[in-house]
Amino acid sequence: MTIRIVWLATLLNCCFLFSFGQQNNLKGFHIKGHIEGIENGTKVYLHDVDGQIKIDSAISSSGDFILKGFVERPTTCWILCKDEYAIIMVENTEMKFQSPINNMRLNAIIKGGKEQDLQNELFKKQNPFDKIVFSTYDSLNKKLFSNGDDKKRMLKIFNEAQTTSQDLYVEFGKRHPNSYFGLDIIYRNRQRIGKDTIETLFSQLREELKSTNKAEALKVFLYGELAEKGKKFIDFDAETLNGIPFKLSSLKGNYVLLSFWSASCGPCRRENKKISQDYNRFKNKVSIVSFSTDINKSNWQKASKSDNIRWTNVSDLKGDNGKIKTQYNVQAIPTTFLINKEGIIIEKFIGLDEDFLNQLEKLMGDK
């Protein structure tokens, strides 16, 4: 039994909620917050998760702070302080935030509008299991087990709690399909839910929801061509960091390793660095293409430099809901495809596998 290291947005419970129509007449959001256990002058940030930008920041006084601004629609954000974060569903209304600095993501109490109320309802269901997930994962990372059997016991606890939390998350989304919240959950778990169920849920959407990026991406999933192992690759157009146009079919006739990643994804960054360390071993055997799912070009650029990406490095800057990412049916990152010289996808790797490069070499050697 193992832990597969992937960057699942669902672990963050990233959600877009309903009631967008009521936002239009409001002037903006006003978050009055308090974080227990921080020093005077500690900075607090409000970060748009999907937009990948800082919306506001404040300097705390006796733990108190105020964040304000305007959002076009209910927006999933992080409140960041030191090395801690908590998720807040920002809408244009008065909101309250309270948490100790330790384990903010598990201990924050947030009040606001209907969107936050819906998130709070799910949080209460998931929180007992999420606490087990985070504490067990921390213990495993610190190797706080006495022997192999104790490690297996902890892994079992981790996997069972994570599965239960995820089941609650998906079922909650299916019960609220006609909402930003439910729509986000459905898109992020589309492979698990299945096309027939999603098509039924999709038909229930209000018109304003059908025009969102999430709904457009779901249409691609439901009715478009999707990349699959054993089938020919799907061609696409993108650009490099320097703005040079790139077409995947330009590499036809070579082995191609196509990897989807983002600057904020820890396992993705580890995979980049592993490839970089062994780049000379593979550069004459396979054409490597890293496809960034970032929206923020600056983040993409900084991460690429830090990870020493020396191979083809492209993006459409469309983020999590981009058409190319959806066509390749990428739900968790890193997700990597190996395409043979005939243009057929012969393997799909999901998550970071420490033996990934050895597996890659064997697959190419067998062909």
Side-chain angles (χ1 to χ4, degrees), residues 154-309:
M154 293 172 69
L155 281 168
K156 186 174 185 291
I157 292 170
F158 172 90
N159 287 326
E160 287 177 350
Q162 186 179 57
T163 298
T164 301
S165 179
Q166 183 70 8
D167 287 345
L168 290 168
Y169 181 69
V170 174
E171 288 305 312
F172 199 88
K174 288 163 64 177
R175 291 202 308 272
H176 300 274
N178 200 18
S179 65
Y180 280 91
F181 182 29
L183 182 61
D184 185 73
I185 294 175
I186 291 165
Y187 174 71
R188 295 181 186 278
N189 295 274
R190 59 196 179 279
Q191 295 175 17
R192 180 174 177 177
I193 295 171
K195 286 189 176 182
D196 290 344
T197 301
I198 290 176
E199 193 165 17
T200 300
L201 297 172
F202 189 84
S203 68
Q204 302 174 26
L205 297 183
R206 300 194 312 269
E207 287 304 314
E208 62 266 33
L209 287 171
K210 287 183 178 179
S211 65
T212 63
N213 291 336
K214 286 284 193 309
E216 290 297 322
L218 272 179
K219 277 196 262 185
V220 173
F221 174 73
L222 287 172
Y223 308 114
E225 181 186 8
L226 300 179
E228 294 180 31
K229 183 178 175 180
K231 291 187 176 181
K232 188 175 180 180
F233 73 90
I234 298 176
D235 202 10
F236 61 77
D237 294 292
E239 288 190 356
T240 69
L241 272 168
N242 296 324
I244 299 172
F246 170 80
K247 201 173 185 70
L248 187 61
S249 56
S250 67
L251 301 175
K252 189 175 180 180
N254 302 323
Y255 276 104
V256 177
L257 189 70
L258 173 62
S259 178
F260 289 83
W261 70 290
S262 80
S264 62
C265 166
C268 301
R269 305 292 300 280
R270 285 174 59 185
E271 181 173 281
N272 287 345
K273 290 169 183 175
K274 283 176 70 69
I275 293 173
S276 180
Q277 289 170 3
D278 284 330
Y279 180 59
N280 290 334
R281 172 181 161 196
F282 288 97
K283 66 179 181 181
N284 295 322
K285 299 179 182 179
V286 59
S287 297
I288 303 173
V289 180
S290 286
F291 188 101
S292 167
T293 62
D294 292 296
I295 291 176
N296 188 312
K297 189 172 182 178
S298 176
N299 291 346
W300 172 28
Q301 188 171 32
K302 289 175 184 176
S304 298
K305 184 178 180 180
S306 176
D307 296 351
N308 195 25
I309 295 179

Side-chain angles (χ1 to χ4, degrees), residues 11 15 20 28 57 63 116 144 201 206 222 224 235 280 296 303 313 315 317 354:
L11 289 178
C15 320
F20 171 56
S57 63
Q116 185 62 49
L144 301 178
L201 297 172
R206 300 194 312 269
L222 287 172
D235 202 10
N280 290 334
N296 188 312
N313 185 17
S315 180
L317 293 176
E354 297 298 334

Side-chain angles (χ1 to χ4, degrees), residues 8 17 34 80 107 135 143 155 185 190 212 231 237 355:
L8 292 173
L17 310 180
H34 178 82
L80 299 166
N107 296 313
S135 64
K143 299 183 178 180
L155 281 168
I185 294 175
R190 59 196 179 279
T212 63
K231 291 187 176 181
D237 294 292
D355 196 43

Side-chain angles (χ1 to χ4, degrees), residues 125-139:
K125 296 175 183 292
Q126 286 184 297
N127 190 252
F129 304 100
D130 288 344
K131 285 182 176 179
I132 295 171
V133 168
F134 284 110
S135 64
T136 310
Y137 185 70
D138 184 60
S139 296

